[in-house]
């Protein structure tokens, strides 16, 4: 096991579900979790994701991931078990063989990427998500009327990026359902468009991949335009606040490029 993994008290908590552990390695993904690891064990292997058991947003995101998993297994690895102690909350997922996707222009992964975003949009909103209204972009909308365009009754994933969409074995998975919400169905395809522009596509090419998604096709231009401008304002604000995070500046540049393509004035 790697030295950066937690101590014996953690493994005692998960032992009823793993049995004897032969090896555990931290993964490159999972920046928002206290522990993400591939665990080889008597009852596994498992992908293990854990948070310190403290109230607040990070633990809440793990609880959302636990609650949504039964409804998204058509596109995401199954949750096999959960464990909790005074110190830890732990989820154990099935291990899937896959690699991070690539979003570059001309990438052979793009059809699979667009397909999995479309499939996410086809998942009915489960009752558990009814109370999870999407509000992250609201304060960056021009006014309450524009913010209202982001509301809806679709299940949203929103965390679309190459690391979270895994390609392999004839399947594509969307992993890390840390903050699913309920909102307008065009938002997930729009998040894909912005990520593609950040990866080097021009806006026209990026929007062509969103055409795979019925919710994008049926969305009104006014709603999409409002979302584009909200992203410009959001990423410009965040990049100024955290100049040490170059990815925020990249996203701000991508959002401005998209806005220019659509002839929008900030």
């Amino acid at each position: 096991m790697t030295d950066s993994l937690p101590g014996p008290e953690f493994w005692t908590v998960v032992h009823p579900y793993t049995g004897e552990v032969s090896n555990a390695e931290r993964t490159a993904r999972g920046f928002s979790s206290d522990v993400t690891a591939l665990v080889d064990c008597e009852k596994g292997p498992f992908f293990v994701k854990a948070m310190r058991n403290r109230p607040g947003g990070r633990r809440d995101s793990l609880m959302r991931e636990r609650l949504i998993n039964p409804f998204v297994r058509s596109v995401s690895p199954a949750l096999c078990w959960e464990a909790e102690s005074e110190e830890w909350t732990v989820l154990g997922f099935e291990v899937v063989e896959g690699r991070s996707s690539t979003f570059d222009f001309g990438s052979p992964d793009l059809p699979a990427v667009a397909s999995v975003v479309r499939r996410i949009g086809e998942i009915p909103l489960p009752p558990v998500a009814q109370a999870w209204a999407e509000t992250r972009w609201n304060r960056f909308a021009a006014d309450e009327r524009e913010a209202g365009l982001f509301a809806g009754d679709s299940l949203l994933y929103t965390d679309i990026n190459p690391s979270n969409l895994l390609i392999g074995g004839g399947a594509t998975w969307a992993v890390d359902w840390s903050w699913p919400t309920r909102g307008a169905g065009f938002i997930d395809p729009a998040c894909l468009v912005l990520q593609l522009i950040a990866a080097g596509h021009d806006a026209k090419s990026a929007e062509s991949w969103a055409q795979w998604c019925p919710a994008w096709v049926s969305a009104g231009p006014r709603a999409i335009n409002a979302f584009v401008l909200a992203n410009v304002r959001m990423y410009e604000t965040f990049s100024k606040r955290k100049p040490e995070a170059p990815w925020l500046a990249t996203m701000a540049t991508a959002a401005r490029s998209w806005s220019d393509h659509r002839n929008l004035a900030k």
Side-chain angles (χ1 to χ4, degrees):
M1 296 189 198
T2 61
D3 293 337
S4 60
L5 288 165
E9 79 289 344
F10 177 87
W11 301 104
T12 298
V13 173
V14 303
H15 185 269
Y17 307 97
T18 62
E20 293 303 312
V21 173
S22 56
N23 190 51
E25 298 287 340
R26 277 195 181 268
T27 64
R29 300 193 318 271
F31 304 109
S32 62
S33 301
D34 293 316
V35 176
T36 55
L38 288 172
V39 177
D40 291 318
C41 56
E42 184 181 353
K43 300 180 181 181
F46 299 108
F47 172 70
V48 170
K49 188 171 185 179
M51 298 281 198
R52 297 281 180 179
N53 202 355
R54 299 166 185 151
R58 295 180 70 203
R59 183 186 179 279
D60 289 352
S61 73
L62 198 67
M63 292 299 95
R64 281 204 188 192
E65 190 161 5
R66 175 179 68 82
L67 291 169
I68 203 64
N69 184 264
F71 304 98
V72 299
R73 290 182 182 180
S74 62
V75 294
S76 181
L79 176 64
C80 302
W81 49 265
E82 55 190 277
E84 190 162 9
S85 69
E86 243 181 73
E87 182 69 16
W88 291 100
T89 297
V90 191
L91 303 181
F93 295 89
E94 69 171 327
V95 173
V96 296
E97 295 294 330
R99 58 169 175 79
S100 296
S101 56
T102 58
F103 281 14
D104 310 65
F105 184 80
S107 166
D109 296 342
L110 294 176
V113 166
S115 177
V116 79
V117 174
R118 185 195 73 240
R119 287 161 54 208
I120 291 169
E122 293 169 350
I123 299 172
L125 181 73
V128 70
Q130 286 285 349
W132 300 343
E134 178 56 69
T135 60
R136 279 169 286 187
W137 286 274
N138 287 13
R139 68 190 176 101
F140 298 102
D143 51 40
E144 288 186 8
R145 182 175 295 180
E146 284 201 354
L149 298 172
F150 309 152
D153 288 316
S154 294
L155 175 65
L156 301 180
Y157 170 53
T158 69
D159 202 3
I160 294 170
N161 64 70
S163 294
N164 281 349
L165 301 185
L166 304 185
I167 309 283
T172 307
W173 297 274
V175 301
D176 196 8
W177 284 76
S178 296
W179 211 253
T181 53
R182 173 179 59 83
F186 76 86
I187 288 178
D188 272 342
C191 289
L192 174 62
V193 171
L194 187 57
Q195 286 284 335
L196 292 176
I197 296 171
H201 293 245
D202 62 37
K204 182 179 179 181
S205 165
E207 288 189 350
S208 73
W209 291 105
Q211 294 287 333
W212 287 49
C213 302
W216 170 272
V217 174
S218 63
R222 183 165 168 263
I224 294 172
N225 290 345
F227 189 74
V228 172
L229 289 175
N231 274 280
V232 172
R233 298 181 192 108
M234 182 176 74
Y235 281 112
E236 286 186 344
T237 298
F238 290 169
S239 63
K240 288 174 184 174
R241 191 176 298 164
K242 293 186 176 182
E244 73 282 4
W247 72 272
L248 290 171
T250 297
M251 296 303 291
T253 299
R256 287 192 295 270
S257 175
W258 194 10
S259 172
D260 291 344
H261 169 73
R262 296 183 72 91
N263 297 313
L264 305 177
K266 191 175 77 166

